[in-house]
Amino acid sequence: MTLSFFDQFMSPVFLGIPLIALSLTLPWALFPKPTTRWLNNRLLTLQSWFINNFTQQIFQPLNVAGHKWALLLASLMVFLITLNLLGLLPYTFTPTTQLSLNMALAVPLWLATIIIGMRNQPTHALGHLLPEGTPTLLIPVLIIIETISLFIRPLALGVRLTANLTAGHLLIQLISTATFVLLPLMPPVAFLTATLLLLLSLLEVAVAMIQAYVFVLLLSLYLQENI
C-alpha cells in the first residue's frame, strides 16, 4: 500500500516508450492562439490580461537589458502553471514532480544569469561573494560560504517545486484513501474527511500557481543581480 502511493510519480510508459515528452508538449495545444482581430473572445482577453500583468510585475524592477527575458520567463510561467494544474486532474501525470525535469529547467536558466553577469560586469558579479567591510580574517570563510550558497540556488529552485507538488499529491491521495475506507464504517467521519479533501484540493490549486510564480520570480531576482 505504501509503495502504491508513489506510483503516481512514475513516468508513464507505453510499449516501452516514455510518455513524458508527450505530457510536456500536449499543454501547448490547449493555449488559444492570438488573432489579428480587433475584438477577441473572453479566453484570449483573459490570457492577454494575465500575461501583461505578470510581465509588468516581474520586469518592473529590472532595467531595459533584462526586458529581453520577458518572452522566455512569461512562457515558462504559463507552461509551469499549466503542467501543475493539469497534474491535479485524476489519472494524469505531473511532470513537475520529477526533480530531473525541474533541475533541467533551473540549472540552464540560473547559469545563463551567471554568465551574463560575468560577461557584462565581472567586478560587480564577483563582488557578491564578499560583502563590503568584511574583517580580513573572515574573508576566506565568507567567500566559501557565498560560493556554496550561489551554487545551491538552482538546487533550491528544483527541490522547492518538486517537494511542494509531491507533498500535495501525497496528501490528496492519503486523504482520499481514508475517505473511501471510512465511508462504510463511519459515514460522519468520512463526510468530514471529504470536506477536508475538498479544501485541500482548493489549496493545491493555489499552490500549483504560487510555486510556478515563485520559480519564475526567483529567476528574475537572480537576473536582476547580474544585469
Side-chain angles (χ1 to χ4, degrees):
M1 176 64 71
T2 304
L3 294 178
S4 64
F5 287 154
F6 294 92
D7 289 344
Q8 59 178 319
F9 304 117
M10 297 176 60
S11 179
V13 178
F14 180 72
L15 297 178
I17 302 175
L19 299 181
I20 187 171
L22 180 62
S23 63
L24 290 175
T25 55
L26 184 60
W28 292 108
L30 303 177
F31 302 143
K33 297 181 180 179
T35 62
T36 56
R37 300 176 181 177
W38 286 8
L39 295 178
N40 295 322
N41 55 29
R42 291 187 179 92
L43 186 58
L44 270 175
T45 304
L46 181 61
Q47 176 180 285
S48 300
W49 174 84
F50 169 76
I51 294 177
N52 290 336
N53 284 348
F54 163 75
T55 306
Q56 291 178 4
Q57 184 174 3
I58 289 293
F59 290 93
Q60 189 174 5
L62 301 180
N63 55 24
V64 180
H67 294 175
K68 300 176 183 178
W69 288 61
L71 178 61
L72 175 62
L73 294 185
S75 302
L76 179 63
M77 171 75 173
V78 175
F79 182 58
L80 289 178
I81 286 181
T82 306
L83 288 179
N84 295 346
L85 292 180
L86 289 178
L88 294 175
L89 298 176
Y91 303 105
T92 56
F93 171 68
T94 312
T96 45
T97 56
Q98 306 295 313
L99 182 61
S100 57
L101 174 66
N102 296 332
M103 292 301 294
L105 293 174
V107 172
L109 294 173
W110 165 82
L111 187 59
T113 61
I114 298 299
I115 293 175
I116 288 176
M118 294 299 295
R119 185 188 65 180
N120 296 337
Q121 41 186 8
T123 304
H124 180 73
L126 293 176
H128 291 294
L129 301 179
L130 184 62
E132 187 177 358
T134 305
T136 306
L137 295 177
L138 296 180
I139 288 178
V141 178
L142 279 180
I143 290 179
I144 295 175
I145 293 175
E146 291 295 331
T147 304
I148 293 175
S149 65
L150 179 65
F151 283 95
I152 283 178
R153 285 179 174 181
L155 181 63
L157 280 177
V159 170
R160 181 186 295 106
L161 183 59
T162 303
N164 281 282
L165 296 180
T166 303
H169 284 65
L170 284 176
L171 280 175
I172 289 177
Q173 187 168 2
L174 286 170
I175 295 178
S176 60
T177 303
T179 302
F180 281 108
V181 171
L182 293 174
L183 186 59
L185 302 177
M186 293 178 287
V189 179
F191 176 76
L192 294 177
T193 310
T195 305
L196 179 62
L197 178 62
L198 176 61
L199 297 177
L200 181 61
S201 300
L202 296 177
L203 177 63
E204 283 305 311
V205 172
V207 168
M209 294 186 289
I210 291 173
Q211 288 304 315
Y213 174 76
V214 169
F215 189 91
V216 178
L217 177 63
L218 289 177
L219 282 175
S220 68
L221 293 178
Y222 300 157
L223 178 64
Q224 183 179 0
E225 290 182 358
N226 292 282
I227 59 173

